[in-house]
Amino acid sequence: MNITKDLKKLVSKEEDINLKNKKTDILDSLDLTYSLQKEEYKYTPLLKIVDKKFDLLKENKDQISQKSYEEVAKFVNSKFYLISVDGYFKSELSNIPPKVKIKKYSELEREEKDTFENMYQKHDDSKSDFFSSLNSIIHEDCLTISVDSNTVLKEHITIININENYDVNNYRKMIFCDKGSEISIFERFINLKSDENFSSSVSEIYQAENSKLNYYSAQDFKENYHYNSINVFQKRDSVSNFFTMSFSGSIVRNNLNICLHDKSCYTNMYGFYAMNDKSLIDNHTSVDHVDENSLSNEHYKGIMGGRSNGVFNGKIFVRKKAQKTNAFQSNNNIILSDKSKVNTKPQLEIWADDVKCSHGCTVGQMDDDAIFYLMSRGISRKDSISLLLSAFSSEIIEKITDEKMKSLLTELIKKQLEKFNDE
Amino acid sequence: MLKIKNLHASVEDTKILKGLNLEVKSGEVHAIMGPNGSGKSTLASVIAGREDYDVTDGEINFQGTDLGELGPEERAREGIFLAFQYPVEIPGVSTTNFMKTAVNQIRESKGEKPLDAVAFLKLMKEKMKLVNIRQDLLSRSINDGFSGGEKKRNEIFQMAMLNPKLSILDETDSGLDIDALKIVSNGVNALKSKENATVVVTHYQRLLDYIVPDFVHVLIDGKIVKSGDKNLALELEEKGYDWIKPGN
Ligand SMILES: Nc1ncnc2c1ncn2[C@@H]1O[C@H](COP(=O)(O)OP(=O)(O)O)[C@@H](O)[C@H]1O
Ligand SMILES: [Mg+2]
């Protein structure tokens, strides 16, 4: 690979010795990582396209944001929010909640650094996904979020990442949820740049015993390219709930990797995507049951219109020690046009014997019987179809217990579904 | 009110209705009986405007309008209602929301203002009583997990909400025990008036003890082969359909 040389240069400039070692390590396995792309990106030519269109290795400068704040204000719908521009966290634009420490990696005190050094690049996929490798090596300064033990934040924190000045932006964050803490995050990406761009975002999340995390994301990338990798490491009795909603983007690739490392961990992974035009949405998830008595529950649903493509790949690993595991997975798709396509694949590897596991995927069209039933009561075809599509999405929306988040996401979905009216 | 002349309909090149004639006037109750597969549900669906069926010949005229070009929703707005033999389950849409949308779209098509929440609730309460249906059932997804009887009661509830001119009840009695049958029939009878008409499709005589027809027609192999009064139903109950040969 010709970029290895340039990456080496980047790594050699790294001043933090610890980071330098980690980056060197990633660099050393880059060939192997690269070779994995072929299978893991079978239907998603993201690398080929972004490599041709953009200079992936260009370094961004931390600029003072000119216009972001006002335009961003309309995306902020919570008291607390964290804003990053072009990959750099901007504390001056943010409103930081109490009992949550939010800093750039470079600003951490020695003892704070220990926590993050220990988790940094430990459980992410920088050795199995080439984009995460690139992000790990290139990104300048990681955002760190540390939630004190037993801190419970009722209201969600909005994380807003703004692409303002560059056509390639790398975001990186680590979240440390200490024992018994409970927080919710709503993450969004905004393009203030009119040209095409590529953004990559890698997150590492560590959940200590008894912690709880709700993580919502709404992805609306228009004509842009996006890579997102969220990696979660859960300790005993912790709970995570993910809601990943995707509405547009030339190519959007989401990796969600969850490691249920201890006994009695729970995770719910929900996703909803509604795509049209020529967009491509690829959700690759994995959940690793390491110890006894844990539960993973995954349900992704999608509506594909226009010439859109969908990819779903769900891996479930149940290790030998992970007896009494419950692991459920399903993926349901409605295809609205004969030019759209979905490739969906579950992948299960189970080494324990006392396990309850189920998986299923469906790809179908609108139910004609249901449309006729609604129309026979005087409802127009257009409204019958939107009733059915919003009903299809409601199964995911109903899983959101936070009323504010529920109505925010319902509204976003509604707007997106209206786009299907012309089909 | 309804005039069907020489109706031919087919699905995917299979001919199902083969020259059917029927006239229904306001204030009348007609029963259509016939063996399984004779085309009763097809007739009901074709009148309601289901697009999967091709009308290859003949016409359906409703109150002076040729229905030929009208979609199912337009027919409903004209006052045609079909109570389905197999009501469709629709997870994620509540019957309440469904009916609110339907009632208001029908009103809108007539240039009337939509009902506000209070007026709608009042209408619902009134019609719920008629078929003895509980509020919580209507807040649930349409027919989702309903028992057979609940589904049929929901059909009659919808009929009451929409107040149609012509109601076609397709096997509304099937799967009902005697109590549910009485509730459903009482509902239908209460909605009957001089201005509207009812077509009851059934293959048992039992329902006709409760909803008494003015005319009984026998549909065999896509055609009405015999018509009579309610005594014809009793005769069919006793002798079956074999004694009626198409063409007799
Ligand atoms: N959508 C369809 N596709 C294929 N065949 C159909 C369809 N609908 C009805 N039929 C056929 O048409 C005939 C009449 O069916 P139907 O109208 O349901 O009869 P009935 O209600 O009198 O029992 C049957 O032979 C049935 O198999
Ligand atoms: Mg039938």
mmCIF file of all heavy atoms in Angstrom, chain A residues 33 101 122 153 159 167 218 235 238 250 268 276 282 288-289 303 307 316 379 395-396 417:
data_model
loop_
_atom_site.group_PDB
_atom_site.id
_atom_site.type_symbol
_atom_site.label_atom_id
_atom_site.label_comp_id
_atom_site.label_asym_id
_atom_site.label_seq_id
_atom_site.Cartn_x
_atom_site.Cartn_y
_atom_site.Cartn_z
ATOM 1 N N THR A 33 -5.052 -6.012 8.379
ATOM 2 C CA THR A 33 -6.323 -5.308 8.514
ATOM 3 C C THR A 33 -6.914 -4.997 7.140
ATOM 4 O O THR A 33 -8.095 -5.185 6.888
ATOM 5 C CB THR A 33 -6.130 -3.988 9.288
ATOM 6 O OG1 THR A 33 -5.398 -4.260 10.469
ATOM 7 C CG2 THR A 33 -7.459 -3.358 9.644
ATOM 8 N N LYS A 101 -16.784 14.865 33.410
ATOM 9 C CA LYS A 101 -15.549 15.552 32.998
ATOM 10 C C LYS A 101 -15.386 15.417 31.505
ATOM 11 O O LYS A 101 -15.400 14.323 30.962
ATOM 12 C CB LYS A 101 -14.355 14.913 33.703
ATOM 13 C CG LYS A 101 -14.242 15.309 35.151
ATOM 14 C CD LYS A 101 -12.825 14.995 35.641
ATOM 15 C CE LYS A 101 -12.818 14.674 37.127
ATOM 16 N NZ LYS A 101 -13.250 13.285 37.430
ATOM 17 N N LYS A 122 -8.022 -0.078 22.936
ATOM 18 C CA LYS A 122 -7.929 -1.426 23.478
ATOM 19 C C LYS A 122 -9.049 -2.307 22.938
ATOM 20 O O LYS A 122 -8.846 -3.452 22.581
ATOM 21 C CB LYS A 122 -8.014 -1.359 25.002
ATOM 22 C CG LYS A 122 -7.517 -2.615 25.661
ATOM 23 C CD LYS A 122 -7.080 -2.316 27.066
ATOM 24 C CE LYS A 122 -6.560 -3.541 27.770
ATOM 25 N NZ LYS A 122 -6.365 -3.243 29.190
ATOM 26 N N LEU A 153 -27.752 11.371 35.016
ATOM 27 C CA LEU A 153 -28.228 12.539 34.279
ATOM 28 C C LEU A 153 -29.545 12.183 33.612
ATOM 29 O O LEU A 153 -29.606 11.275 32.791
ATOM 30 C CB LEU A 153 -27.223 12.945 33.199
ATOM 31 C CG LEU A 153 -26.005 13.756 33.596
ATOM 32 C CD1 LEU A 153 -25.296 14.244 32.351
ATOM 33 C CD2 LEU A 153 -26.386 14.926 34.484
ATOM 34 N N ILE A 159 -24.406 15.500 21.333
ATOM 35 C CA ILE A 159 -23.056 15.625 20.779
ATOM 36 C C ILE A 159 -23.212 16.008 19.314
ATOM 37 O O ILE A 159 -23.885 15.322 18.551
ATOM 38 C CB ILE A 159 -22.269 14.310 20.892
ATOM 39 C CG1 ILE A 159 -22.010 13.985 22.370
ATOM 40 C CG2 ILE A 159 -20.956 14.404 20.116
ATOM 41 C CD1 ILE A 159 -21.139 12.767 22.587
ATOM 42 N N ASP A 167 -12.753 18.697 3.646
ATOM 43 C CA ASP A 167 -13.570 17.636 3.056
ATOM 44 C C ASP A 167 -13.298 16.257 3.652
ATOM 45 O O ASP A 167 -13.954 15.286 3.313
ATOM 46 C CB ASP A 167 -13.493 17.648 1.518
ATOM 47 C CG ASP A 167 -12.075 17.510 1.006
ATOM 48 O OD1 ASP A 167 -11.176 17.259 1.834
ATOM 49 O OD2 ASP A 167 -11.887 17.654 -0.208
ATOM 50 N N ALA A 218 -28.743 10.008 15.006
ATOM 51 C CA ALA A 218 -29.561 10.267 13.821
ATOM 52 C C ALA A 218 -28.613 10.726 12.733
ATOM 53 O O ALA A 218 -27.891 11.698 12.903
ATOM 54 C CB ALA A 218 -30.596 11.346 14.117
ATOM 55 N N LYS A 235 -18.946 -4.041 31.726
ATOM 56 C CA LYS A 235 -18.661 -4.833 32.913
ATOM 57 C C LYS A 235 -19.982 -5.269 33.558
ATOM 58 O O LYS A 235 -21.066 -4.888 33.142
ATOM 59 C CB LYS A 235 -17.816 -4.020 33.899
ATOM 60 C CG LYS A 235 -16.469 -3.567 33.326
ATOM 61 C CD LYS A 235 -15.533 -4.722 32.990
ATOM 62 C CE LYS A 235 -14.847 -5.273 34.233
ATOM 63 N NZ LYS A 235 -13.928 -6.393 33.847
ATOM 64 N N SER A 238 -24.070 -4.128 33.743
ATOM 65 C CA SER A 238 -24.251 -2.866 33.013
ATOM 66 C C SER A 238 -25.263 -3.058 31.884
ATOM 67 O O SER A 238 -25.514 -4.170 31.443
ATOM 68 C CB SER A 238 -22.916 -2.383 32.453
ATOM 69 O OG SER A 238 -22.412 -3.353 31.555
ATOM 70 N N SER A 250 -24.438 9.202 0.757
ATOM 71 C CA SER A 250 -24.011 8.455 -0.433
ATOM 72 C C SER A 250 -23.613 7.048 -0.021
ATOM 73 O O SER A 250 -24.095 6.070 -0.570
ATOM 74 C CB SER A 250 -22.837 9.147 -1.109
ATOM 75 O OG SER A 250 -23.291 10.298 -1.759
ATOM 76 N N ASN A 268 -29.285 -3.623 24.241
ATOM 77 C CA ASN A 268 -30.314 -3.572 23.204
ATOM 78 C C ASN A 268 -29.756 -2.773 22.053
ATOM 79 O O ASN A 268 -29.315 -1.636 22.234
ATOM 80 C CB ASN A 268 -31.571 -2.870 23.719
ATOM 81 C CG ASN A 268 -32.303 -3.736 24.730
ATOM 82 O OD1 ASN A 268 -32.704 -4.851 24.415
ATOM 83 N ND2 ASN A 268 -32.456 -3.220 25.938
ATOM 84 N N ASN A 276 -33.507 6.770 0.406
ATOM 85 C CA ASN A 276 -33.948 6.840 -0.979
ATOM 86 C C ASN A 276 -32.812 7.324 -1.868
ATOM 87 O O ASN A 276 -31.651 7.270 -1.472
ATOM 88 C CB ASN A 276 -35.227 7.655 -1.141
ATOM 89 C CG ASN A 276 -35.156 8.971 -0.406
ATOM 90 O OD1 ASN A 276 -34.076 9.397 -0.025
ATOM 91 N ND2 ASN A 276 -36.283 9.604 -0.215
ATOM 92 N N ASP A 282 -24.998 0.730 5.396
ATOM 93 C CA ASP A 282 -24.416 -0.553 5.766
ATOM 94 C C ASP A 282 -24.272 -0.592 7.291
ATOM 95 O O ASP A 282 -23.521 0.194 7.872
ATOM 96 C CB ASP A 282 -23.041 -0.690 5.079
ATOM 97 C CG ASP A 282 -22.322 -1.980 5.463
ATOM 98 O OD1 ASP A 282 -22.744 -2.640 6.430
ATOM 99 O OD2 ASP A 282 -21.323 -2.305 4.794
ATOM 100 N N ASP A 288 -20.410 -9.761 21.497
ATOM 101 C CA ASP A 288 -19.559 -10.836 21.980
ATOM 102 C C ASP A 288 -19.962 -11.169 23.418
ATOM 103 O O ASP A 288 -19.742 -10.371 24.332
ATOM 104 C CB ASP A 288 -18.097 -10.348 21.909
ATOM 105 C CG ASP A 288 -17.109 -11.461 22.216
ATOM 106 O OD1 ASP A 288 -17.558 -12.604 22.450
ATOM 107 O OD2 ASP A 288 -15.896 -11.177 22.223
ATOM 108 N N HIS A 289 -20.590 -12.326 23.594
ATOM 109 C CA HIS A 289 -20.981 -12.757 24.942
ATOM 110 C C HIS A 289 -19.817 -13.529 25.548
ATOM 111 O O HIS A 289 -19.522 -14.641 25.113
ATOM 112 C CB HIS A 289 -22.206 -13.669 24.882
ATOM 113 C CG HIS A 289 -23.468 -12.968 24.492
ATOM 114 N ND1 HIS A 289 -24.396 -12.567 25.414
ATOM 115 C CD2 HIS A 289 -23.961 -12.601 23.289
ATOM 116 C CE1 HIS A 289 -25.415 -11.984 24.797
ATOM 117 N NE2 HIS A 289 -25.183 -11.994 23.502
ATOM 118 N N ILE A 303 -36.471 0.777 5.463
ATOM 119 C CA ILE A 303 -37.331 1.006 4.308
ATOM 120 C C ILE A 303 -36.448 1.542 3.186
ATOM 121 O O ILE A 303 -35.730 2.521 3.372
ATOM 122 C CB ILE A 303 -38.428 2.038 4.630
ATOM 123 C CG1 ILE A 303 -39.277 1.543 5.805
ATOM 124 C CG2 ILE A 303 -39.303 2.293 3.405
ATOM 125 C CD1 ILE A 303 -40.229 2.598 6.345
ATOM 126 N N ARG A 307 -33.145 4.175 -5.593
ATOM 127 C CA ARG A 307 -32.162 3.181 -6.021
ATOM 128 C C ARG A 307 -31.255 2.841 -4.847
ATOM 129 O O ARG A 307 -30.068 2.570 -5.018
ATOM 130 C CB ARG A 307 -31.303 3.756 -7.146
ATOM 131 C CG ARG A 307 -32.071 4.065 -8.396
ATOM 132 C CD ARG A 307 -31.254 4.988 -9.282
ATOM 133 N NE ARG A 307 -31.776 4.954 -10.623
ATOM 134 C CZ ARG A 307 -31.396 4.065 -11.541
ATOM 135 N NH1 ARG A 307 -30.459 3.178 -11.276
ATOM 136 N NH2 ARG A 307 -31.935 4.084 -12.733
ATOM 137 N N ILE A 316 -23.006 -12.656 16.110
ATOM 138 C CA ILE A 316 -23.182 -12.964 17.525
ATOM 139 C C ILE A 316 -22.154 -14.028 17.904
ATOM 140 O O ILE A 316 -22.074 -15.079 17.263
ATOM 141 C CB ILE A 316 -24.600 -13.514 17.809
ATOM 142 C CG1 ILE A 316 -25.666 -12.470 17.455
ATOM 143 C CG2 ILE A 316 -24.734 -13.941 19.264
ATOM 144 C CD1 ILE A 316 -27.095 -12.983 17.612
ATOM 145 N N ILE A 379 -59.376 6.050 2.853
ATOM 146 C CA ILE A 379 -58.079 6.717 3.005
ATOM 147 C C ILE A 379 -57.307 6.629 1.676
ATOM 148 O O ILE A 379 -57.269 5.570 1.057
ATOM 149 C CB ILE A 379 -57.278 6.059 4.148
ATOM 150 C CG1 ILE A 379 -58.084 6.145 5.453
ATOM 151 C CG2 ILE A 379 -55.916 6.713 4.308
ATOM 152 C CD1 ILE A 379 -57.465 5.413 6.618
ATOM 153 N N GLU A 395 -42.355 0.117 15.715
ATOM 154 C CA GLU A 395 -41.878 -0.995 16.545
ATOM 155 C C GLU A 395 -40.513 -0.672 17.173
ATOM 156 O O GLU A 395 -40.210 -1.119 18.285
ATOM 157 C CB GLU A 395 -41.766 -2.262 15.678
ATOM 158 C CG GLU A 395 -41.805 -3.532 16.484
ATOM 159 C CD GLU A 395 -41.619 -4.761 15.617
ATOM 160 O OE1 GLU A 395 -41.738 -4.662 14.369
ATOM 161 O OE2 GLU A 395 -41.339 -5.823 16.171
ATOM 162 N N ILE A 396 -39.723 0.109 16.451
ATOM 163 C CA ILE A 396 -38.428 0.535 16.990
ATOM 164 C C ILE A 396 -38.634 1.739 17.927
ATOM 165 O O ILE A 396 -38.134 1.756 19.055
ATOM 166 C CB ILE A 396 -37.462 0.914 15.843
ATOM 167 C CG1 ILE A 396 -37.216 -0.286 14.925
ATOM 168 C CG2 ILE A 396 -36.145 1.464 16.396
ATOM 169 C CD1 ILE A 396 -36.535 -1.475 15.569
ATOM 170 N N LEU A 417 -40.098 9.887 6.083
ATOM 171 C CA LEU A 417 -41.089 9.045 5.410
ATOM 172 C C LEU A 417 -41.903 9.839 4.390
ATOM 173 O O LEU A 417 -42.371 9.287 3.400
ATOM 174 C CB LEU A 417 -42.010 8.362 6.425
ATOM 175 C CG LEU A 417 -41.338 7.360 7.366
ATOM 176 C CD1 LEU A 417 -42.363 6.680 8.246
ATOM 177 C CD2 LEU A 417 -40.534 6.315 6.586
#
